[in-house]
Amino acid sequence: MELKTMPIAVEQISEIIIEEVSKGHKLLHRHKLSQNKIEIGRDYHNDIILTDSHVCPSHLTIELLNGQWQITDNQTVNGTTVEQAQQKKKNADQHIINDGDVINLGKSQLLIRFSDHNVEPTIAFSPFDNIIDVLRHPMVLCLSIALFAVLAGGIFYLNSPKEVNFTQFLVSSIKMVLGFAFWPAGVALVAHLSKQEARIMAQLGVSFAFFNLMWLSDFLESITNYNSASNSMLPIVVMMISIVLAYSLFWLNAYIGFQMSAKRRTIVAASITALLFGGGALVQFSNKPEFNPRPQYNATLMMPSFLLTSSSSVDQFIEDTSKLFDKASEKAREQ
């Protein structure tokens, strides 16, 4: 007797990717599930457990019905809404999910992806990444900080009207290093609080490298002012170098610490640069009186060796001056 086997119905299993994202749709956690019913809420029996206190213990169910994923709101206190591409929020109960939908529950957001979702093209390493890797190396970072400390202490020594001993030089250098380190440390902290990678070593390495370049630009500006006339455009050109360096630093800080588009990164860096230089110039201009009975002057003394062109001696200057008077006397006699 021949036995016939009956086909067994196998329930189709479909994969779904649920991403926990921030308000700016930055990825916090990713879950890939291969089951036809998914429970989401604060209770520990759920497949995805959220800590948001505005989410109910058993908030919603995502279930595969007739080949489509459907949301069921479990009569929650704050409800559930869904955002679709270029559409307003709407009630998510009994909603058929599409790839890219964003589910809002409490103060949390879930981004839905299907397994056949096309990912973004692979991004090749940029030259910035190679430079950052070098600057974040502990040895290079220590050298940058040491160079910064020497330059800061040297400037303190030159600008001090009194004699400075080694202890004062060292204390001043340490204060300057700690003070300037607040900026990269602050950027790293903000990146960490926004659920992104802090990368404190990279922030410090890039920042102190640019701080040293800014010291160099200040030195070049002093040399330029020393060698140029009062109406020369060279000091303005050198000042523009400082602005470009500051913008580049802020741009790299954003590149290292935050996942944002190139356009947004450019806007952020330009805004901080404009606030830094434009705000400082505005304050200086607004506080400038029409007449100052005590005019300020630059008392910095620079050696003749900083002159880019050779200077004449005192005897030569007197001789040239006498020739000018002789020419003036000759023209007076002719008249």
Side-chain angles (χ1 to χ4, degrees):
M1 182 177 178
E2 184 178 358
L3 297 176
K4 295 183 179 180
T5 58
M6 298 296 292
I8 300 174
V10 179
E11 187 178 6
Q12 183 181 3
I13 303 295
S14 181
E15 291 183 335
I16 188 172
I17 295 91
I18 301 178
E19 298 179 346
E20 298 179 47
V21 296
S22 65
K23 291 297 183 181
H25 292 183
K26 300 299 182 183
L27 178 64
L28 303 178
H29 301 286
R30 178 179 286 126
H31 309 272
K32 184 176 183 181
L33 303 168
S34 300
Q35 56 197 67
N36 290 346
K37 189 175 182 180
I38 302 167
E39 303 286 348
I40 301 174
R42 283 191 295 114
D43 268 351
Y44 294 115
H45 72 270
N46 290 289
D47 301 298
I48 297 179
I49 303 171
L50 302 177
T51 59
D52 185 355
S53 59
H54 299 86
V55 173
C56 290
S58 296
H59 197 99
L60 63 86
T61 303
I62 299 177
E63 190 171 5
L64 184 65
L65 299 172
N66 300 322
Q68 294 180 314
W69 291 97
Q70 180 176 299
I71 300 174
T72 301
D73 181 83
N74 299 327
Q75 299 180 354
T76 57
V77 175
N78 296 309
T80 307
T81 59
V82 64
E83 298 178 36
Q84 294 179 296
Q86 299 179 351
Q87 293 185 14
K88 295 181 179 180
K89 294 181 181 179
K90 68 175 187 177
N91 189 357
D93 190 38
Q94 305 305 312
H95 171 74
I96 302 300
I97 297 176
N98 298 305
D99 185 40
D101 284 354
V102 178
I103 303 172
N104 298 276
L105 60 165
K107 292 187 177 180
S108 303
Q109 288 188 327
L110 302 176
L111 175 61
I112 306 300
R113 298 293 190 193
F114 295 156
S115 57
D116 59 351
H117 179 80
N118 293 326
V119 299
E120 296 292 333
T122 303
I123 300 176
F125 285 115
S126 68
F128 298 116
D129 295 307
N130 298 326
I131 296 173
I132 292 169
D133 287 338
V134 173
L135 295 177
R136 67 182 293 272
H137 190 277
M139 183 63 70
V140 178
L141 176 58
C142 290
L143 290 175
S144 296
I145 294 177
L147 178 60
F148 178 88
V150 171
L151 292 174
I155 292 175
F156 169 75
Y157 175 78
L158 293 175
N159 293 333
S160 178
K162 299 180 181 179
E163 186 67 25
V164 177
N165 56 37
F166 179 77
T167 302
Q168 293 173 318
F169 175 89
L170 184 61
V171 171
S172 174
S173 300
I174 294 175
K175 285 182 178 179
M176 291 288 286
V177 170
L178 294 177
F180 275 78
F182 272 115
W183 170 252
V187 175
L189 178 61
V190 172
H192 175 71
L193 294 177
S194 59
K195 305 298 183 181
Q196 302 191 57
E197 192 175 358
R199 302 185 66 184
I200 180 65
M201 294 292 287
Q203 293 286 6
L204 287 171
V206 168
S207 296
F208 274 98
F210 272 86
F211 292 157
N212 290 330
L213 290 176
M214 290 176 184
W215 284 130
L216 178 61
S217 68
D218 288 343
F219 177 73
L220 290 177
E221 185 176 2
S222 300
I223 295 294
T224 304
N225 291 330
Y226 185 55
N227 286 273
S228 59
S230 59
N231 59 349
S232 175
M233 294 296 293
L234 284 177
I236 299 177
V237 174
V238 176
M239 185 183 67
M240 291 301 298
I241 295 176
S242 299
I243 295 176
V244 171
L245 286 174
Y247 169 81
S248 302
L249 171 61
F250 300 143
W251 191 94
L252 283 172
N253 287 143
Y255 178 84
I256 294 170
F258 304 95
Q259 296 179 2
M260 60 177 65
S261 63
K263 181 179 179 181
R264 186 177 180 183
R265 191 184 306 120
T266 301
I267 293 174
V268 170
S271 300
I272 299 176
T273 305
L275 182 64
L276 179 63
F277 287 90
L282 183 63
V283 171
Q284 184 178 4
F285 179 78
S286 61
N287 293 334
K288 186 177 181 180
E290 295 182 1
F291 173 75
N292 189 358
R294 298 180 179 179
Q296 296 180 352
Y297 64 97
N298 187 357
T300 304
L301 297 177
M302 302 191 74
M303 296 180 294
S305 58
F306 286 110
L307 285 172
L308 301 180
T309 57
S310 58
S311 58
S312 58
S313 61
V314 176
D315 295 336
Q316 184 65 38
F317 176 78
I318 295 174
E319 183 179 351
D320 294 337
T321 305
S322 300
K323 291 179 180 179
L324 292 176
F325 283 106
D326 293 340
K327 291 180 180 180
S329 300
E330 291 178 1
K331 290 185 177 181
R333 285 194 297 269
E334 291 175 357
Q335 294 178 357

